[in-house]
């Protein structure tokens, strides 16, 4: 058997640990000489495959690849580009095969979320549909935590830790200021469809350290009167209140709360966040002084405070993908299987891509407290293990020593292709 | 000599390390039995003194006080409350003396910024003005880094580290996404008058890791055309651009850039940040996809990523304040004196409060690059030592194990006082 080369690409929004998956995958592949040849990474995701813009990961040293484990973002570039169906865009699939053939690629590893799983599934069917033999393995990644079957998604645990830590720290701050100044702190977090990330704000409060945190979930239509009553009662009881609001929160009219028809002085529409909208509601209804923050990319890029559990799982997913490939699997995705919560034990499982693609895992209803503003004990039991442990990067001159790879291009063999 | 009691209070916006100063002060005072009696903390700053709401720090264990070193925020509560002059509000000064007398307080330690230094100076003059013998020592604290004489201010180094790390991480993120998605990332940071905090964003870029960071300083009037040209050229050269904008940036008309006359659908004024304003300018002028974040309290409460140098200096300032008191000083403030930058060596100095109060230290002009969008080598030489070292808090269940003191009240001896 002649060793086939492997293609690896990062897809969609990047995370603090997607490069840990890359490290796991490349290091495992390097152990499989004779079975896997070169690992070529797509520059900017699948676009790199379509345009034959491949990176020879072999040109980067073992220590550089190892440093990916502690480096956030997508080291090879990511992209937001969804392949259409074979019927709709046969040209792109034929181009993929052309590139794969030219570079002797027999393994396709795709590191992404739900949309990417769908792309990976389509590539896995190229043997059947277009006669090109390839094994396609999906490597799970998404801060949204919305892939099915797997207990959690690499990337989520670190965002959850970032949001829990930030909510805790800002709550301590506002508590100090509340006597004469700020009484309400609002933190906007990611999550268009599901409240997984917002839920993590609830972890700031615990039995031995009660903190009034009001969570606004995208699953629960915003009820202004109920919200104001909740904030008011917290401020009366504790002197202050923290609010964690998901960017995807909608009003009872089904429109995003952030979409308030806001205009600048010239009447131009302004794209704002939801945090200032919520803060303004607090001011108007209760007359309280507030502060607000929008975490945005900081939350998903915050490798400096990544969850050790998350880093280990991300690495394990990359490694398992290679093992699955060597074992002859196609159209599968490694998963995280929870064996127990107390103590937290997990192992690597396997899911069929056909059961993963285009399925969105929502928060279970029993994870949100009855009043709609908090998390239940069941949710806490699920979340706490995912933020366990710290995995600090090395530092140089006071800053994390994140790696930048050389990303040496593989010589092109084909003509140009326009996407 | 009978030991006099000490009063300690935290004032103004809290920081990641103001409690480290409290730890240094209380631990040093506990070593001075026979000279210093009890340390009473004001609950919510000077308001605690005026209302005789004192906390007996002696009721908290040595380990709890020691844990203050790794706990952000103000453990005793802070306040925004500036004492007027003796002529304008003699009543409050007489009340302070009444409370000090009732609780045998001979030392007044005030932990704050410029306004607090002024209050501390007024208290230091009570012997002369109202015949009450007291030694008043100011303990420097401010994320704004704007106190004179001292080389830097405790609290600033940790904010600077937070902003430098966050800018670095978000820049890695946007670089990964830039091919098909976000090309410009905007981070709003604190700093109404001076660009000290914004300057720290410039540290994300270094000789061996160039990152295109455009800084908008409050010192430089916003020039839209020049800004857009700078962002455009960075995006053309690097594929992406990060922008760090100080909340205090003003337009050429002298008005805050954040104050854009923004109205909601009902015509109500909206209080927004400057980050969305800058992001919208990028979208309108260049048509680029952007993301924006507002760090707000997260930056000054982020003890999880505090600068070790900053923590050590904050602790040393609290300790030195006690030593100064024991040595009989009044109306002084411990300072940080830089002995050298390479290697970084500093020592504790002493400033007269009369030279500190009401003096605001601005960024030197030669710290801002000629085009107004970056920092100079001189600035870098100043900043780099301040973010050196990590000083991680202990963790429990995945979160920093920050302490909450018991904060037991001292029995009141006087009648009520209305502030």
């Amino acid at each position: 058997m002649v060793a086939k080369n492997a293609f690896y690409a990062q897809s969609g929004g990047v995370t603090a640990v997607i490069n840990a998956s890359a490290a796991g995958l490349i290091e495992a592949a390097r152990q499989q000489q004779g079975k896997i040849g070169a690992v070529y990474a797509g520059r900017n995701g699948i676009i790199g495959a379509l345009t034959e813009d491949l990176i020879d990961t072999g040109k980067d040293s073992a220590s550089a690849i190892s440093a990916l484990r502690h480096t956030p973002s997508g080291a090879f570039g990511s992209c937001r580009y969804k392949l259409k169906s074979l019927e709709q865009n046969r040209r792109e699939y034929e181009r993929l095969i052309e590139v794969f053939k030219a570079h002797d690629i027999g393994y396709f590893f795709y590191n992404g979320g739900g949309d990417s799983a769908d792309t990976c599934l389509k590539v896995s069917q190229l043997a059947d549909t277009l006669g090109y033999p390839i094994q396609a393995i999906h490597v799970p990644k998404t801060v949204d935590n919305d892939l099915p079957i797997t207990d959690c998604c690499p990337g989520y645990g670190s965002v959850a830790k970032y949001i829990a830590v930030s909510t805790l720290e800002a709550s301590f701050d506002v508590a100090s200021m509340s006597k004469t100044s700020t009484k309400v702190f609002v933190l906007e977090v990611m999550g268009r469809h599901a409240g997984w990330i917002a839920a993590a704000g609830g972890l700031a409060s615990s039995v031995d350290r009660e903190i009034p945190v009001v969570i606004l979930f995208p699953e629960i239509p915003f009820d202004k009167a109920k919200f104001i009553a909740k904030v008011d009662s917290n401020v009366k009881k504790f002197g202050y209140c923290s609010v964690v609001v998901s960017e995807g929160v909608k009003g009872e009219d089904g429109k995003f709360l952030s979409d308030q028809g806001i205009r600048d002085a010239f009447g131009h529409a302004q794209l704002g966040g939801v945090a200032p909208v919520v803060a303004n509601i607090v001011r108007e209804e209760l007359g309280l002084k507030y502060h607000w923050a929008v975490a945005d990319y900081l939350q998903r890029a915050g490798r400096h405070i990544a969850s050790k559990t998350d880093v280990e799982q991300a690495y394990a997913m990359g490694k398992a993908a290679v093992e699955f490939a060597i074992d002859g699997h196609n159209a599968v995705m490694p998963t995280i299987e929870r064996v127990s919560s107390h103590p937290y034990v997990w192992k690597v499982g396997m899911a069929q891509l056909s059961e993963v693609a285009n399925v969105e895992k929502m928060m279970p209803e029993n994870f949100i407290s009855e009043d709609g503003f908090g998390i239940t004990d069941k949710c806490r039991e699920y979340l706490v293990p995912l933020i366990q442990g710290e995995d600090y990067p090395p530092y140089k001159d006071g800053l994390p020593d994140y790696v930048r790879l050389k990303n040496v291009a593989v010589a092109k063999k084909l003509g140009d292709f326009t996407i």
Side-chain angles (χ1 to χ4, degrees), chain A:
Chain A
M1 169 176 146
V2 178
K4 288 273 181 185
N5 295 325
F7 173 83
Y8 166 78
Q10 302 177 319
S11 182
V14 295
T15 78
V17 301
I18 183 172
N19 283 336
S21 290
L25 189 144
I26 295 168
E27 289 183 348
R30 287 184 177 187
Q31 305 274 316
Q32 298 290 348
Q33 284 173 7
K35 292 180 182 159
I36 296 181
V39 177
Y40 295 146
R43 198 185 302 272
N44 302 310
I46 195 73
I47 289 177
L50 290 167
T51 58
E52 204 197 356
D53 195 353
L54 305 178
I55 291 162
D56 186 354
T57 67
K59 301 291 187 193
D60 267 293
S61 67
S63 68
I65 297 301
S66 169
L68 286 179
R69 190 180 165 120
H70 66 246
T71 299
S73 83
F76 308 106
S78 185
C79 71
R80 295 200 181 278
Y81 190 85
K82 193 176 177 178
L83 285 186
K84 295 196 179 117
S85 69
L86 183 60
E87 295 71 38
Q88 288 176 290
N89 203 340
R90 193 179 179 91
R91 177 176 164 270
E92 286 189 343
Y93 290 91
E94 287 174 343
R95 169 67 176 186
L96 279 184
I97 289 176
E98 194 184 11
V99 172
F100 292 166
K101 264 189 192 159
H103 295 278
D104 199 25
I105 287 165
Y107 306 102
F108 178 86
F109 297 109
Y110 209 41
N111 204 167
D115 281 355
S116 314
D118 182 62
T119 298
C120 194
L121 179 61
K122 284 169 184 153
V123 170
S124 76
Q125 296 160 342
L126 285 179
D128 289 341
T129 53
L130 295 173
Y132 183 79
I134 193 157
Q135 287 168 250
I137 317 274
H138 192 247
V139 185
K141 169 245 56 168
T142 169
V143 295
D144 294 330
N145 204 35
D146 60 358
L147 289 170
I149 306 179
T150 187
D151 180 66
C152 61
C153 302
Y156 172 66
S158 294
V159 172
K161 189 174 183 101
Y162 180 98
I163 295 302
V165 170
S166 297
T167 303
L168 172 64
E169 291 179 333
S171 296
F172 265 60
D173 191 307
V174 64
S176 309
M177 303 306 297
S178 61
K179 177 73 179 177
T180 56
S181 181
T182 310
K183 286 188 170 58
V184 178
F185 174 76
V186 181
L187 173 62
E188 175 175 335
V189 305
M190 288 179 159
R192 281 261 144 196
H193 307 295
W196 288 111
I197 297 177
L203 295 177
S205 185
S206 62
V207 177
D208 53 349
R209 186 189 54 223
E210 196 180 3
I211 288 176
V213 179
V214 175
I215 303 172
L216 296 174
F217 292 98
E219 288 87 349
I220 311 280
F222 180 71
D223 179 330
K224 185 162 143 180
K226 228 176 118 189
F227 168 68
I228 286 300
K230 182 79 181 177
V231 171
D232 189 40
S233 103
N234 276 337
V235 171
K236 284 188 173 124
K237 183 175 171 193
F238 297 92
Y240 72 101
C241 181
S242 290
V243 179
V244 177
V245 54
S246 177
E247 60 179 339
V249 167
K250 295 189 183 103
E252 280 164 348
D253 57 2
K255 275 170 45 178
F256 284 121
L257 203 61
S258 56
D259 179 17
Q260 294 286 290
I262 291 175
R263 299 278 181 277
D264 68 13
F266 307 100
H268 300 142
Q270 295 289 302
L271 304 178
V274 67
V277 172
V278 169
N280 270 306
I281 289 171
V282 168
R283 178 181 62 114
E284 280 171 11
E285 301 293 321
L286 295 171
L288 297 176
K289 191 159 184 259
Y290 62 79
H291 263 251
W292 56 269
V294 177
D296 195 64
Y297 279 179
L298 307 193
Q299 70 199 285
R300 74 180 200 192
R303 179 63 183 82
H304 72 274
I305 188 64
S307 153
K308 187 161 192 267
T309 302
D310 191 32
V311 174
E312 286 169 355
Q313 291 177 338
Y315 186 90
M317 294 296 100
K319 183 165 175 265
V322 169
E323 289 160 0
F324 289 180
I326 295 297
D327 290 347
H329 293 288
N330 184 31
V332 295
M333 175 183 91
T335 61
I336 294 149
E337 278 184 20
R338 185 181 297 223
V339 178
S340 78
S341 291
H342 309 288
Y344 180 54
V345 179
W346 62 277
K347 62 177 186 181
V348 175
M350 185 193 288
Q352 298 301 314
L353 270 192
S354 55
E355 292 174 32
V356 172
N358 303 312
V359 179
E360 199 174 7
K361 182 173 76 179
M362 303 306 287
M363 288 249 293
E365 267 182 42
N366 64 5
F367 275 24
I368 300 178
S369 63
E370 212 165 316
D371 70 2
F373 294 123
I375 57 173
T376 60
D377 288 346
K378 217 168 174 58
C379 181
R380 192 175 289 274
E381 183 182 325
Y382 170 77
L383 290 178
V384 167
L386 307 185
I387 66 164
Q388 289 309 301
E390 295 68 54
D391 188 64
Y392 300 121
Y395 277 69
K396 194 181 153 191
D397 291 339
L399 289 176
D401 192 13
Y402 296 142
V403 71
R404 267 189 183 164
L405 300 180
K406 287 190 273 179
N407 283 352
V408 176
V410 177
K412 292 199 183 199
K413 300 180 177 179
L414 305 170
D416 285 350
F417 181 85
T418 312
I419 55 169

